[in-house]
Amino acid sequence: MKLYVHIYLVLLIILAAAFPNEGLSTDLMKKICDKAHNKDLCGSIIKSHKETGLQGLASITLNIAYSHALRIHKKISELIKKSSSQSKEEKALQTCFRSFNSVLDDIKGPATMALRTKSYDDVNDYVGGAADKSVYCDDAFIEEKLVSPISVMDKVFFQICEIELIMINILGNITTA
């Protein structure tokens, strides 16, 4: 009987070493959210998915960014249909439409692939570019002296990208350390 207990304990130790708990530590969660401007948003993303580990959380956050960008893109499409042709609003909305079209392509394709292959510098470039494009969208309305009907959605998208970039920078530092 003692032999079986010893074998069981040895197997348990081997399995624990082979499959460590990859959940996020409280310190790492705090480190990420302390750097984010929207700490509540950061906390809600992390607390909902902290058991996935940092790499998994970065993947989930990238998917959240994509989903949010898709909602913005759909909203812009609806607003374009309602706007009068060749108006200042329609011009700004078209700029936003093109920007978010590019955002969706970049996040779904190259950014996701770069994250899978742990090419964190590339992920940083694509997500940073996506955040910049959301700013271009807001700027299109400012240039026309209009209030953006999607500015709140844009701001949240930018904040999700910021959280993703914080995670990516930490992941990049871990792999180069």
Side-chain angles (χ1 to χ4, degrees):
M1 182 71 169
K2 284 186 177 183
L3 179 62
Y4 292 118
V5 172
H6 288 288
I7 292 172
Y8 175 76
L9 289 174
V10 169
L11 285 174
L12 198 59
I13 291 169
I14 290 170
L15 286 173
F19 301 103
N21 179 1
E22 293 192 24
L24 293 181
S25 70
T26 305
D27 288 344
L28 187 53
M29 289 188 291
K30 184 173 174 11
K31 181 178 180 180
I32 293 167
C33 290
D34 280 351
K35 292 180 179 182
H37 284 92
N38 188 334
K39 291 169 186 13
D40 291 336
L41 177 62
C42 181
S44 70
I45 290 171
I46 288 179
K47 286 176 185 166
S48 299
H49 306 287
K50 66 183 177 187
E51 70 285 345
T52 64
L54 188 54
Q55 179 75 26
L57 184 59
S59 181
I60 290 167
T61 305
L62 192 59
N63 287 331
I64 291 169
Y66 179 83
S67 296
H68 196 73
L70 189 59
R71 280 193 295 278
I72 293 170
H73 194 259
K74 287 179 180 177
K75 180 70 174 175
I76 293 167
S77 292
E78 293 169 9
L79 292 169
I80 287 172
K81 289 176 186 170
K82 293 178 184 176
S83 69
S84 37
S85 181
Q86 310 228 338
S87 67
K88 289 180 177 185
E89 181 184 43
E90 199 254 352
K91 180 181 172 189
L93 287 168
Q94 288 294 345
T95 298
C96 291
F97 185 83
R98 287 188 300 276
S99 291
F100 276 94
N101 222 13
S102 178
V103 164
L104 290 170
D105 288 344
D106 287 348
I107 291 176
K108 194 64 173 174
T112 300
M113 185 55 68
L115 184 58
R116 281 189 196 133
T117 60
K118 299 181 180 182
S119 302
Y120 300 123
D121 287 341
D122 292 340
V123 179
N124 199 11
D125 290 344
Y126 287 113
V127 174
D132 288 345
K133 289 172 186 165
S134 75
V135 173
Y136 299 152
C137 177
D138 277 342
D139 288 348
F141 283 94
I142 292 168
E143 287 173 15
E144 298 296 336
K145 297 178 179 27
L146 298 170
V147 175
S148 170
I150 57 167
S151 65
V152 172
M153 294 174 82
D154 247 358
K155 183 177 180 179
V156 171
F157 175 75
F158 186 89
Q159 292 168 343
I160 295 168
C161 289
E162 176 196 41
I163 294 163
E164 176 72 11
L165 290 170
I166 292 166
M167 289 181 216
I168 293 304
N169 286 324
I170 292 170
L171 281 166
N173 288 333
I174 290 170
T175 59
T176 58

